[in-house]
Amino acid sequence: MNSQAEIPGAGDPSPLRQWGAWAVLAGAAGLVLVFVQIVGPTLEPTPSVGAQIGEIAGEIRRSAWRSFFGLSAPEPEPSAVTAWAALAIAAPLLGIAALVLAAISAIARENRRYAAYGASLGAAAITFQFIWLVALLIACVVLLVAIIENMGDIFGI
């Protein structure tokens, strides 16, 4: 007596009418944006590594001399917001959105698989973003320590 024909919307095969499906899409988009953010900057043309390290070392030396003579630091140049900086914000936000949508899907008692997949993809996007930023931070610290240790060799002091 309680058939699906009597219940409006029951038996609707469209998964896009479920919160869990949107959670999966948001989590997948966040994860893809994290990977695009990791790979993307390598596709842009950049100066050689030696030139970049020399610029960093020169800036460190100029800053040290200014501090030694008591001179004020020059005004910092405003940095332009790039697409890569926007991706650094968008990817974890999509991961958080996926977690929220997965929670709504679980509360609404929709298909558990969609909620689980969405939550997993969202958590993966947030985790990979965090791991990537920590790895970059460690690499930058190692590079700066190497530059400072070899400052004399670079400038022949």
Side-chain angles (χ1 to χ4, degrees):
M1 185 154 179
N2 221 0
S3 69
Q4 288 183 352
E6 295 175 7
I7 302 172
D12 187 12
S14 176
L16 293 179
R17 293 182 181 248
Q18 297 180 0
W19 292 104
W22 288 104
V24 170
L25 290 175
L31 198 55
V32 166
L33 286 181
V34 169
F35 292 138
V36 166
Q37 178 190 352
I38 291 171
V39 174
T42 62
L43 303 175
E44 293 181 354
T46 58
S48 70
V49 175
Q52 289 177 347
I53 291 174
E55 289 176 16
I56 293 170
E59 184 60 35
I60 291 172
R61 185 171 187 217
R62 284 188 293 277
S63 175
W65 280 111
R66 277 193 303 269
S67 175
F68 179 72
F69 290 120
L71 301 174
S72 64
E75 292 295 320
E77 297 176 11
S79 60
V81 177
T82 63
W84 305 122
L87 285 179
I89 297 169
L93 285 180
L94 279 172
I96 291 169
L99 290 174
V100 169
L101 291 170
I104 292 171
S105 175
I107 291 170
R109 297 183 186 258
E110 294 177 350
N111 189 347
R112 290 177 137 172
R113 289 183 181 168
Y114 283 140
Y117 295 157
S120 299
L121 288 171
I126 295 167
T127 303
F128 285 154
Q129 177 77 18
F130 178 74
I131 290 171
W132 174 245
L133 291 178
V134 168
L136 281 179
L137 180 67
I138 291 170
C140 289
V141 167
V142 168
L143 179 64
L144 284 175
V145 166
I147 289 172
I148 292 171
E149 284 180 353
N150 295 312
M151 186 73 74
D153 294 339
I154 293 172
F155 293 107
I157 297 175

